[in-house]
Amino acid sequence: MEKIIGIWIAAFLTLCIYSFLYRDNPFYRFAEYLFVGVSLGYSIVLQIHQGLIPFAWQPFSAAVTGGSLTGLIKLIPIAIGLLFFAGLSPQQTWLIRYPSAILIGVTSGVAIPNVLQAHIFEQTRGTIGPFAAIHAGTLSGWGVFEAILMVVGVVCTLTYFFFSIEHRGPVKWVSKVGIAFLMIGFGSAFGNTVMGRVALLIQRVDFLLNDWFGTIF
Amino acid sequence: MRRQVPLILCFVFGIVMIFTQFIPHSLSQSLHQEVRQWYLIIFPFALVFSSIALIRTHVMRIRRRTEHWRYSFLIFIGILMMVVIGVPFGPQHHVFEWLFNNVQVPMDATMFSLLAFFIASAAYRAFRARTLEASLLLVTALIVMLGNVPVGDLVWNTVFAWLPWENATSGMKQWILDNPNLSARRGIILGISLGVISQSIRIILGIERSYLGGGD
């Protein structure tokens, strides 16, 4: 019974959202606002259970009950986090800057080494790595062509985004080749996005035809 | 005090996170983990505060009786439904999971699938093969879309039998994704990464201060 009620609710909400294909209407708005509320509620629950409870509440309560004082250090981030609520008072809004500054500082500090390692070093290695195989003579003729194409594509794309010099003469032609590579990249992204969305559509129609109709007939 | 202390905090926490990542000493690693945990403790407060801001906005909408104000109650119902079950009993509770599977997941998937219709109509208007660049975009998108479905190979295998791949469109699609597409993506990723690093340095050094907002 619980499953059937779930299927009917899901089917009703699915049809509510698809009603937007006709035009904006109360059914769509009903689903839209409910979706915003439910998604926000879900995020709050996850953040509390995956952040606040394991990293703040549990060490703190263990410190209080067990007498270990190390958990009390968690009172500092809790107090800093509570400063967000100063934003509810117009006179004390500036206190939000303290927790915000910490969050932004940590994010920036974590980003620099991570981006360097995962994006710049790894992507550069992936681009020029096949040349080691060319040097060793283990790459076929087609593989050599692909390795050269990769370097040409990356250099031309980067040239297109390089605005420190005027795009004239050879630079203009290199950046034009970069645009061609970018268009292929955008075309691929578009094609994959469309197919992803169509797959979701097929899944929803399959749900309506098999799961929902299955409860009726 | 109102601007200097946050700038110092941002600098100290940013520098600590950079240096502790490169120092393999156990003390440095535990400091790194501790700060990461602080981040995970502080962040939910930001989310709860932003939720309160959203609730206040909708309370104002209800008070002022603005257009579609009645729907604002649905946002409260949605938040309450998830929080009342999820916070005390946890996300593993069967009622919370039931709500997630039968309310959130179907709406999420349907919202995204709705884009299939709009993306198709937008493509019809935008994809005119007037220039070489637009033609490249159009042809690539078509190959990738055809290469994603079995019917693409079924139709085009005989026409493109001379191509080196066993299955023409899916092989061509994979080659495009692995080579010209990947090189363009790498160019974009490298550009974005350099931007992220320079922006992060500006934030840590206090050159970029827009997050502090206006006022004193």
Side-chain angles (χ1 to χ4, degrees):
Chain A
M1 190 63 190
E2 194 180 285
K3 194 183 171 192
I4 290 172
I5 293 169
I7 288 172
W8 273 81
I9 289 172
F12 171 71
L13 292 169
T14 302
L15 292 173
C16 280
I17 292 171
Y18 279 141
S19 69
F20 186 72
L21 291 171
Y22 172 59
R23 65 176 183 193
D24 193 15
N25 64 79
F27 288 105
Y28 174 73
R29 283 196 291 272
F30 170 84
E32 186 189 23
Y33 279 73
L34 188 67
F35 179 52
V36 172
V38 167
S39 301
L40 188 62
Y42 180 75
S43 315
I44 292 171
V45 170
L46 278 202
Q47 286 295 327
I48 288 174
H49 277 273
Q50 289 176 359
L52 209 58
I53 291 177
F55 297 119
W57 178 249
Q58 282 171 356
F60 176 67
S61 58
V64 172
T65 54
S68 157
L69 292 176
T70 49
L72 290 176
I73 202 167
K74 303 294 182 194
L75 275 175
I76 301 170
I78 291 172
I80 293 168
L82 284 170
L83 287 177
F84 270 114
F85 298 104
L88 299 172
S89 155
Q91 287 81 34
Q92 311 302 329
T93 309
W94 62 275
L95 281 167
I96 285 184
R97 289 172 184 165
Y98 285 64
S100 302
I102 293 173
L103 291 183
I104 289 168
V106 172
T107 308
S108 305
V110 169
I112 292 172
N114 283 356
V115 167
L116 262 176
Q117 179 62 35
H119 292 162
I120 294 186
F121 294 157
E122 286 303 316
Q123 297 299 330
T124 310
R125 193 202 307 267
T127 306
I128 57 172
F131 282 85
I134 294 175
H135 183 68
T138 53
L139 218 56
S140 66
W142 185 249
V144 173
F145 167 71
E146 285 180 340
I148 293 168
L149 185 76
M150 181 65 72
V151 173
V152 169
V154 172
V155 171
C156 292
T157 307
L158 281 172
T159 308
Y160 174 71
F161 288 114
F162 190 63
F163 300 115
S164 298
I165 51 165
E166 202 175 341
H167 287 197
R168 281 194 312 187
V171 178
K172 181 186 167 188
W173 289 104
V174 171
S175 79
K176 266 187 179 290
V177 176
I179 293 173
F181 274 95
L182 280 171
M183 286 301 138
I184 294 172
F186 292 145
S188 311
F190 180 83
N192 274 329
T193 308
V194 169
M195 295 315 285
R197 299 291 187 261
V198 170
L200 274 174
L201 177 66
I202 292 167
Q203 185 247 325
R204 294 319 297 156
V205 172
D206 176 63
F207 164 76
L208 288 174
L209 291 179
N210 291 322
D211 296 3
W212 185 45
F213 277 13
T215 63
I216 303 169
F217 304 112
Chain B
M1 178 74 175
R2 291 186 177 191
R3 293 182 80 87
Q4 279 80 0
V5 175
L7 285 172
I8 293 165
L9 282 173
C10 184
F11 176 79
V12 169
F13 276 86
I15 291 291
V16 163
M17 290 314 275
I18 295 171
F19 282 110
T20 51
Q21 195 126 337
F22 289 111
I23 302 168
H25 194 271
S26 61
L27 204 67
S28 157
Q29 294 305 308
S30 58
L31 178 64
H32 187 86
Q33 286 308 316
E34 187 64 34
V35 177
R36 267 182 181 266
Q37 285 182 10
W38 279 33
Y39 182 92
L40 289 169
I41 295 167
I42 296 170
F43 192 76
F45 288 102
L47 194 69
V48 172
F49 174 66
S50 62
S51 311
I52 290 171
L54 183 79
I55 289 167
R56 283 172 90 185
T57 308
H58 283 275
V59 167
M60 291 300 281
R61 276 174 58 114
I62 292 166
R63 272 196 194 146
R64 289 176 186 165
R65 301 282 194 271
T66 54
E67 199 184 7
H68 306 317
W69 62 274
R70 288 181 181 87
Y71 295 100
S72 293
F73 287 112
L74 287 165
I75 291 189
F76 304 149
I77 292 170
I79 296 173
L80 273 177
M81 219 160 54
M82 300 304 269
V83 168
V84 163
I85 308 285
V87 171
F89 303 112
Q92 276 81 39
H93 191 265
H94 72 280
V95 177
F96 187 81
E97 281 184 344
W98 186 89
L99 284 170
F100 177 71
N101 290 327
N102 294 300
V103 178
Q104 194 181 343
V105 170
M107 283 201 285
D108 200 14
T110 314
M111 279 286 184
F112 277 104
S113 73
L114 203 60
L115 281 175
F117 295 95
F118 298 114
I119 216 167
S121 66
Y124 178 74
R125 281 192 289 271
F127 280 15
R128 305 266 169 83
R130 286 177 183 155
T131 59
L132 175 69
E133 288 87 2
S135 309
L136 274 173
L137 190 108
L138 176 67
V139 170
T140 312
L142 280 174
I143 292 170
V144 170
M145 282 191 274
L146 281 172
N148 268 318
V149 284
V151 74
D153 288 328
L154 195 72
V155 172
W156 294 102
N157 265 357
T158 48
V159 180
F160 293 115
W162 49 274
L163 285 171
W165 303 288
E166 193 182 344
N167 289 310
T169 45
S170 55
M172 213 185 315
K173 178 208 86 174
Q174 203 53 50
W175 187 82
I176 288 171
L177 290 180
D178 291 344
N179 292 283
N181 165 67
L182 188 61
S183 62
R185 274 176 182 272
R186 277 192 176 145
I188 294 170
I189 288 169
L190 286 169
I192 291 173
S193 306
L194 292 171
V196 168
I197 290 171
S198 67
Q199 190 67 3
S200 299
I201 292 171
R202 281 171 61 85
I203 288 170
I204 290 170
L205 296 179
I207 301 165
E208 173 63 52
R209 303 174 176 196
S210 56
Y211 68 91
L212 293 175
D216 293 333

